[in-house]
Amino acid sequence: MAPHRGTGSGAEAELPEYAGQYRLESCLGSGGMGIVHLATSSSGLRLAVKVVHADFAKDPEFRGRFRQEVAAARQVSGAFTAPVVDADTDSARPWMATLFIPGPTLAEHVKRNGPMASGQLRRLMAGLAEALRDIHRAGVVHRDLKPSNVLLAEDGPKVIDFGISRPKDSELRTETGKLIGTPPFMAPEQFRRPREVGPAADIFALGSVTVHAATGRGPFDSDSPYVVAYQVVHDEPDLTGVPENLAPLVRACLAKEPEDRPTADELMRELRSVSASYDTQAFIPNQRAERERTAGEGEGSGGLGHASERAEREERAERAQRRERGDSWAGPTPGPTTGSTTGPAPGPADPGRKGRAAGSRPRTRTAVLSAAALVLVVAGGVFASVQVMGGGVGDARDGGTAGPRASGAVVSAAVHEPWATKSAAKKPGAPQCSYGAGKLLCVQPGLASALDPADGTVLWRHTVSGVGVAGTSPVESGGLVHVMSDAGRLSQALDPETGEVRWERDVSAYAGKRFVGGTLLLTAADGTVTGLDSATGDTKWSKRIPGQPEAYFTSFEGDGPAYVATVTGEGTGTRTRITAVDPDTGDVRWDARLDGRLEAVGASDGALFLTSIGGVYSDTQAVVRYDPGTGKTVRIALPVRLEQARAVVRGDVVYLLSSVGGAMVAVDMKGREQLWRAESGVARSSAPVADERYVYFTAPDGRLLAVDVRKGELSGETPVRLGASDRVTASLPEPVIIDGRVCSGAPDGTVFGVDGDDPAGW
């Protein structure tokens, strides 16, 4: 239904009927910059479309500000924000379309239902800390976090409205005397030193938002914004009504000086004891959805207080704890559990919070966080099957003396029994793994290892220099295991049974390095390609590839050729030249020129599958199937573009996953249609892998997720394995599928294996 046009001079009188290709259905709300509409894409995706007011659209400076908002929203688009689907900042009425997230704002929830209960409040605080961690890692400072900019979605809070956000290192450009922000939720430096505002200002706002959620008012309350500004800069916050177990952390967030506040990472560490009760997934498994449809009415309407959801979260937490203890799992817990955590009872609130003199410096961040840790600590379990990678061959799992693994020994664990192996690497990093020579081959900074995929037993380890190449797993080629060490300058070939070096070669002079079949392809700066025998290191051939000035190869498992692509032209004249090369000889198998900017993503039954890329943000616009035997091309356009998508091909179906917003799409090239689209809520995920049942990928927090290929619904996910540093790995490891088992590495250094037949039991 088209929006109704009003009369008069108000904003509703100038409602457009379309924004780009999206028909605007109804008005969701209006703000200072524009109006937000509900719309639906041609694929049925519900969107929130923000259209700039007509008067503001005429102002070049305002257009620049809106461009900055769109850029910031795109940059942080992910699990904790409303992912940007499309935008046009140059149209007569600039607009931006984001995924529509049902649920009230925090301001609406508190107004309707009153202050949040302690459990809800902890989950809210944990969710906002995760959101700010994501936003700050993207290099953005929000600068206007407040209750009306927090949506209470079913899977947790989402931060919206990046209208005044800025890059962390940008210079603030605004009119003299103009206040940027909302006074009750602004940090002291936003009043005193607006040009020095950084991520710590968002942490201050998180503290203020938490107080509002806990009490219905702010920590600095007054009818006058000027009085509020004075209190923010000079007075101590009023934390009356904030639960005692959270008050120390909230007080730390509200420290007057930015350096005394915790970072988002530090907040996550202190809140880790309650993170199990905070569900970050965006999918809803079928059985959970059914329980929620049949459950009674719960408290609250924002999704954080639903009774069945609380029970499900507690059940998931219990399952995670049982897996951590190594207990067997026979099915869901009969009812909600309270857990069996241990730790000191919550202590009294800070006795000095009322009596500290106005303007005095608060305790240091370390001291406050230590106090918070005493309140929030919960004893955690460990995997009963954990061993240490690199601790020796056949390390004992129970802490006993390690010894050689007996030849022909029978593994006592079931074929698909879950296991986890901790790395002995001295530097942090997620293990990158592959399968070869009957082993799970993994590499981390300074360490290469081979594991038994059945139970995670360490078979051998090999020390490598440097941190290796980001995203590069060991490769079995020519009967040997190959690793790139010393930051990619040295190629080493290892014996698959012992890990001993068979040969090595300095490859620092080559920009491109790719193992295809039994050949290592090395591309020099002048475009010359050299093929080395993977088994011996000897040179097979050296030549230039006709028509390809820069031959950087890609290849796909189970497919023979190596592919190189060159894009020429611009706009509608853009073409891609694809050359298929025999890796053993360097001879050209076939050569084709196809329309558009294309990237090869997979091969199946002799056909090559590609994605069509366009736009400033390298959006995937279409999927292409090229048959070199017939020269025929099939092109399927996506109803909604995907940002920075990576793909995996299974038969005639291409599964695409956006590494920015987490959207996932399945396209049937034989049926020439998009089968489904889903929002995973996982930003900066790994590339996907697939079998006939599920698509698997890993999240930055170490989770492994499985999505049903038929329905596009989440079937299971493993617990978070982020590690003590809370650092996200730059290049996430792809999962490895081995005979019904799925293995992966995690940021905490763990390599783990789970039953691919039962994702629901993860």
Side-chain angles (χ1 to χ4, degrees), residues 684-752:
R684 293 183 290 281
S685 66
S686 73
V689 300
D691 59 20
E692 67 277 4
R693 302 161 300 172
Y694 304 106
V695 178
Y696 306 96
F697 58 96
T698 57
D701 57 14
R703 285 178 295 150
L704 169 67
L705 299 95
V707 179
D708 191 309
V709 299
R710 298 165 301 170
K711 304 175 182 178
E713 297 176 351
L714 183 73
S715 296
E717 61 178 346
T718 62
V720 170
R721 289 184 173 92
L722 191 54
S725 65
D726 288 333
R727 294 185 181 276
V728 172
T729 305
S731 178
L732 290 179
E734 297 178 16
V736 183
I737 304 172
I738 308 172
D739 297 330
R741 183 183 297 280
V742 185
C743 304
S744 186
D748 66 353
T750 299
V751 179
F752 63 93

Side-chain angles (χ1 to χ4, degrees), residues 540-675:
K540 289 183 176 182
W541 54 268
S542 184
K543 63 177 73 173
R544 296 176 66 92
I545 308 302
Q548 299 289 356
E550 296 182 344
Y552 298 104
F553 294 95
T554 187
S555 61
F556 307 102
E557 186 177 356
D559 185 53
Y563 302 96
V564 59
T566 298
V567 179
T568 59
E570 295 181 357
T572 56
T574 302
R575 304 199 80 193
T576 301
R577 181 173 185 172
I578 307 287
T579 304
V581 178
D582 187 323
D584 292 326
T585 64
D587 296 337
V588 174
R589 291 190 180 181
W590 56 260
D591 186 76
R593 293 170 175 82
L594 306 177
D595 292 335
R597 177 185 165 195
L598 305 177
E599 293 182 1
V601 296
S604 178
D605 294 331
L608 184 65
F609 293 77
L610 312 102
T611 52
S612 177
I613 309 299
V616 178
Y617 297 97
S618 299
D619 298 341
T620 297
Q621 305 169 324
V623 182
V624 177
R625 183 185 187 274
Y626 173 70
D627 187 339
T630 63
K632 291 184 178 180
T633 300
V634 175
R635 183 183 296 259
I636 308 297
L638 299 182
V640 179
R641 297 180 178 185
L642 285 179
E643 272 192 90
Q644 300 178 25
R646 288 178 287 183
V648 62
V649 177
R650 183 77 183 179
D652 287 307
V653 180
V654 181
Y655 302 97
L656 302 108
L657 176 61
S658 170
S659 62
V660 176
M664 178 178 283
V665 168
V667 180
D668 184 354
M669 299 303 294
K670 187 176 182 179
R672 302 194 178 195
E673 62 176 341
Q674 179 174 301
L675 299 176

Side-chain angles (χ1 to χ4, degrees), residues 110-170:
V110 173
K111 184 177 181 180
R112 185 184 307 136
N113 303 289
M116 284 185 167
S118 178
Q120 292 178 298
L121 199 63
R122 290 196 301 272
R123 290 191 289 270
L124 172 72
M125 197 171 182
L128 292 179
E130 286 184 311
L132 292 182
R133 180 190 65 188
D134 235 29
I135 292 168
H136 295 163
R137 282 174 177 167
V140 173
V141 181
H142 191 282
R143 304 199 315 144
D144 197 23
L145 183 66
K146 56 187 178 183
S148 59
N149 283 342
V150 176
L151 283 175
L152 300 182
E154 182 173 342
D155 59 321
K158 310 288 184 182
V159 175
I160 60 172
D161 197 347
F162 291 82
I164 64 170
S165 63
R166 294 290 188 273
K168 287 189 284 190
D169 56 354
S170 71

Side-chain angles (χ1 to χ4, degrees), residues 192-209:
R192 299 181 301 193
R193 305 183 297 272
R195 293 182 182 273
E196 300 177 17
V197 171
D202 290 342
I203 299 297
F204 189 96
L206 184 152
S208 297
V209 167

Side-chain angles (χ1 to χ4, degrees), residues 251-537:
R251 181 174 294 281
C253 294
L254 296 174
K256 299 300 182 187
E257 299 301 327
E259 61 270 19
D260 289 334
R261 299 172 205 147
T263 64
D265 282 333
E266 289 170 335
L267 274 178
M268 286 305 303
R269 276 200 294 274
E270 302 306 328
L271 287 164
R272 179 162 300 174
S273 59
V274 292
S275 63
S277 64
Y278 174 70
D279 188 0
T280 59
Q281 73 172 42
F283 294 100
I284 306 175
N286 286 337
Q287 59 184 21
R288 173 182 167 191
E290 180 63 28
R291 278 197 297 268
E292 292 190 356
R293 282 193 295 270
T294 59
E297 189 172 336
E299 60 180 293
S301 59
L304 293 177
H306 198 289
S308 64
E309 185 172 357
R310 288 201 310 275
E312 171 65 19
R313 288 173 177 168
E314 290 169 352
E315 177 182 309
R316 291 170 65 88
E318 173 65 14
R319 290 173 61 181
Q321 290 172 1
R322 296 176 76 166
R323 282 194 297 269
E324 292 288 329
R325 294 194 301 266
D327 296 348
S328 60
W329 176 249
T333 307
T337 62
T338 58
S340 57
T341 56
T342 59
D350 179 5
R353 74 176 185 221
K354 288 284 189 181
R356 188 177 293 118
S360 65
R361 292 288 299 274
R363 292 177 295 170
T364 64
R365 181 172 63 190
T366 301
V368 176
L369 288 179
S370 297
L374 289 174
V375 175
L376 295 175
V377 67
V378 174
V382 297
F383 280 92
S385 62
V386 164
Q387 61 173 316
V388 179
M389 287 174 62
V393 178
D395 293 351
R397 293 172 183 269
D398 59 359
T401 304
R405 191 180 184 194
S407 176
V410 177
V411 179
S412 59
V415 175
H416 293 155
E417 186 73 16
W419 55 263
T421 300
K422 192 72 173 179
S423 173
K426 296 181 179 179
K427 295 182 180 179
Q432 305 277 346
C433 300
S434 62
Y435 181 66
K439 302 173 180 63
L440 185 63
L441 307 170
C442 301
V443 66
Q444 283 178 274
L447 186 68
S449 303
L451 285 71
D452 186 333
D455 59 9
T457 299
V458 178
L459 304 176
W460 54 257
R461 64 180 177 128
H462 171 69
T463 301
V464 296
S465 58
V467 296
V469 179
T472 301
S473 302
V475 176
E476 182 197 11
S477 180
L480 300 177
V481 176
H482 298 264
V483 296
M484 291 288 178
S485 63
D486 201 14
R489 292 188 288 271
L490 185 66
S491 179
Q492 292 185 317
L494 311 179
D495 188 304
E497 299 303 321
T498 65
E500 296 178 356
V501 177
R502 289 282 191 87
W503 63 264
E504 61 183 29
R505 178 159 177 167
D506 184 351
V507 293
S508 58
Y510 301 97
K513 311 172 186 72
R514 186 81 179 191
F515 286 93
V516 185
T519 305
L520 170 58
L521 302 178
L522 301 172
T523 304
D526 64 356
T528 300
V529 179
T530 299
L532 301 185
D533 188 326
S534 301
T536 64

Side-chain angles (χ1 to χ4, degrees), residues 20-74:
Q21 61 176 312
Y22 308 110
R23 184 178 181 88
L24 307 180
E25 300 174 355
S26 60
C27 178
L28 294 173
S30 180
M33 293 179 67
I35 301 173
V36 180
H37 306 264
L38 179 66
T40 304
S41 73
S42 56
S43 66
L45 192 66
R46 301 182 75 196
L47 306 173
V49 182
K50 183 175 185 177
V51 182
V52 169
H53 290 309
D55 291 342
F56 290 151
K58 302 173 184 177
D59 184 350
E61 182 179 346
F62 190 89
R63 277 182 175 269
R65 176 178 167 184
F66 186 68
R67 289 191 187 96
Q68 193 165 27
E69 175 181 0
V70 173
R74 281 185 181 272

